[in-house]
Amino acid sequence: MVRNTQKFSRLRSLGIVTAGASVLFMGLTAYNNQDNLCGAFVMPFVRMLPAETSHNLAVWACKYRLYPASDHTDDLNLHSSFFGRLVSNPIGIAAGFDKNAEAIMGLKDLGFGFIEVGSVTPLAQSGNPKPRVFRLVDDRAIINRYGFNSDGHQVVMQRLKDLRKREDFNAVVGVNLGRNRDTMTPIGDYVKGVFAFGPVADYLVINVSSPNTKGLRDMQGKKELTELLEAVNAARAKLKTNQNVPILLKLSPDLELRELIDIVSVINNKKCRIDGLIVSNTTISRDNISDVSLANETGGLSGEPLRERSTRLIAQVYSLTKGSIPIIGVGGVASGADAFEKIEAGASFVQIYTALVYEGPDLVERIKCDLSLRISELGLPNVGNAVGSNYLKYLP
Ligand SMILES: Cc1cc2nc3c(=O)[nH]c(=O)nc-3n(C[C@H](O)[C@H](O)[C@H](O)COP(=O)(O)O)c2cc1C
């Protein structure tokens, strides 16, 4: 009886995924040339599936490159120097979409300037029990408590190695590092990450800001962060190749000003050098939410309700660091105007995730076109000239 029920449940899941994939594929093929086809046709269907199923489906579609590749050529005014690499635009996909580096080529097809995979943990782990992802549709938001489900270093590292051997590989790829839930050596987990991915990544991210692993965000404290950043710097110095791989630190949007001041004092210490900051991860606050039924779900909130909070933090960080460290701005970006706000507040680059769930992959091109238009209307030669141009406006 139990086996029959399990079998039925598995068949049902398979049916949903297969039907979903077929409709997704047919929709993408049939409407290839229509503007915002995904927003109008495919995305409403995909949103009828449970959130995690549609996430898996989207990763699968990217993995097999089912989304039509964008034939858009990025305007010259979006070309940017990204930690020493030239990228044709400053818009990236944030960590958490392609956790296991399966979908990089498909994401590149969508027109992203850079791709961040992960978070990856040293050992494979399954994360928190399901359900663990919730769509707050009216709020254009998501709450997730995945809890670092990861294929682990070995598997993800092999995928990246294989990818780099391909002749058509041309993406800029960052690897976001996490730690195992039950690790006895939290700092050691990040050191392992530097050794594993330093040689195969264009940048590394130290993620101590996800709210779904107990004690993780405490590693942003002054003493803990100093030890952590000293250790990852020492590990980087021991790399046999790619010894200058940029290391970025991803921050929580729930930090208070005094905590932020501590963090800036740590990263100003030479031994704790980092090359950039990612601002920000998801929030545990529940400000600006209308969907009260889901607001009580534990986890990190992303999307529109996070937008202002993360922009404020970008401006604070920009102000405290006097613009000396490049910032990747992330949180609730759903349009060119939102991306421009992050840039004016101090971000040199912008990432998106949640809005993609609601708008579909055409969003990438729309953001780029709008951003480029804004830059030229302002008479600026390049998007870089707008970085931090209005940060005072966003300071609390
Ligand atoms: C479902 C989901 C999973 C995520 N997983 C990760 C993760 O593994 N590591 C990480 O650093 N950030 C993760 N994030 C946070 C995003 O990278 C991003 O910082 C945040 O969602 C804010 O951007 P957005 O409002 O555009 O989604 C996740 C976000 C979502 C929605």
Side-chain angles (χ1 to χ4, degrees):
M1 181 69 182
V2 173
R3 279 182 66 192
N4 273 346
T5 315
Q6 280 176 346
K7 212 162 142 192
F8 176 73
S9 151
R10 250 182 261 136
L11 278 173
R12 196 168 142 257
S13 310
L14 191 69
I16 291 174
V17 172
T18 312
S22 312
V23 174
L24 184 71
F25 184 68
M26 284 186 309
L28 290 168
T29 310
Y31 288 82
N32 194 357
N33 292 322
Q34 287 196 9
D35 280 350
N36 195 12
L37 71 100
C38 284
F41 173 75
V42 182
M43 295 318 287
F45 167 77
V46 172
R47 279 204 303 273
M48 283 160 57
L49 302 170
E52 187 164 344
T53 309
S54 49
H55 177 192
N56 292 337
L57 194 59
V59 173
W60 179 83
C62 285
K63 179 173 175 180
Y64 293 102
R65 302 178 84 168
L66 299 182
Y67 294 114
S70 165
D71 55 6
H72 173 83
T73 306
D74 292 331
D75 290 319
L76 277 177
N77 65 4
L78 294 186
H79 287 204
S80 310
S81 168
F82 183 88
F83 302 100
R85 294 280 307 266
L86 183 74
V87 291
S88 65
N89 72 78
I91 310 296
I93 174 83
F97 176 78
D98 186 8
K99 284 181 181 277
N100 294 306
E102 295 172 284
I104 292 172
M105 296 303 275
L107 286 165
K108 176 75 184 154
D109 288 346
L110 302 185
F112 284 110
F114 60 102
I115 291 150
E116 190 170 315
V117 301
S119 298
V120 193
T121 56
L123 302 174
Q125 64 176 31
S126 56
N128 288 323
K130 298 175 188 176
R132 51 192 180 177
V133 197
F134 307 88
R135 292 190 206 92
L136 290 74
V137 178
D138 292 342
D139 295 302
R140 303 304 248 191
I142 288 177
I143 291 176
N144 94 81
R145 52 168 178 270
Y146 268 116
F148 287 166
N149 49 321
S150 173
D151 285 352
H153 282 178
Q154 279 307 320
V155 170
V156 176
M157 183 177 60
Q158 196 53 50
R159 279 190 192 126
L160 288 171
K161 277 187 181 166
D162 292 345
L163 203 61
R164 286 196 182 270
K165 284 186 202 140
R166 286 174 60 150
E167 272 180 14
D168 58 345
F169 177 75
N170 59 351
V172 170
V173 180
V175 179
N176 181 306
L177 304 173
R179 60 167 236 213
N180 279 115
R181 196 188 69 160
D182 298 323
T183 183
M184 302 300 281
T185 52
I187 292 180
D189 279 18
Y190 291 94
V191 167
K192 282 181 190 158
V194 173
F195 284 126
F197 294 104
V200 289
D202 293 302
Y203 70 97
L204 299 172
V205 181
I206 306 298
N207 175 16
V208 281
S209 48
S210 288
N212 302 313
T213 296
K214 203 164 166 257
L216 186 79
R217 304 201 315 171
D218 299 341
M219 294 178 87
Q220 294 173 114
K222 196 169 183 176
K223 184 169 164 288
E224 296 83 349
L225 191 64
T226 305
E227 280 174 32
L228 172 64
L229 294 184
E230 276 182 7
V232 295
N233 264 287
R236 172 170 58 182
K238 288 191 196 135
L239 288 177
K240 294 202 175 69
T241 57
N242 210 13
Q243 221 178 55
N244 286 323
V245 60
I247 297 182
L248 282 64
L249 177 69
K250 187 164 179 177
L251 300 181
S252 155
D254 302 323
L255 292 165
E256 288 176 13
L257 182 59
R258 67 179 166 77
E259 296 173 300
L260 217 50
I261 292 170
D262 280 349
I263 290 173
V264 172
S265 80
V266 172
I267 61 179
N268 279 336
N269 169 352
K270 230 170 150 196
K271 282 188 178 167
C272 301
R273 179 173 80 89
I274 54 151
D275 303 274
L277 288 160
I278 303 190
V279 184
S280 71
N281 215 312
T282 54
T283 175
I284 55 167
S285 86
R286 293 296 184 260
D287 305 342
N288 312 322
I289 288 195
S290 59
D291 193 335
V292 283
S293 64
L294 289 176
N296 287 334
E297 291 293 347
T298 305
L301 173 73
S302 57
E304 171 57 26
L306 170 65
R307 187 172 52 80
E308 274 185 36
R309 179 182 278 265
S310 79
T311 309
R312 240 183 357 249
L313 194 70
I314 291 166
Q316 281 179 312
V317 171
Y318 185 80
S319 164
L320 288 169
T321 58
K322 302 186 178 61
S324 61
I325 296 180
I327 298 170
I328 299 182
V330 51
V333 173
S335 66
D338 298 341
F340 187 71
E341 271 191 4
K342 295 277 192 267
I343 292 167
E344 274 194 311
S348 299
F349 314 98
V350 173
Q351 287 179 325
I352 60 174
Y353 184 167
T354 301
L356 212 55
V357 172
Y358 290 102
E359 302 283 331
D362 299 349
L363 178 66
V364 185
E365 201 168 307
R366 289 208 300 282
I367 290 180
K368 291 190 297 183
C369 290
D370 187 21
L371 187 59
S372 169
L373 192 67
R374 276 165 199 275
I375 299 298
S376 49
E377 277 174 0
L378 285 167
L380 297 172
N382 184 272
V383 60
N385 299 94
V387 174
S389 56
N390 213 356
Y391 76 94
L392 288 173
K393 176 175 156 192
Y394 300 99
L395 284 179

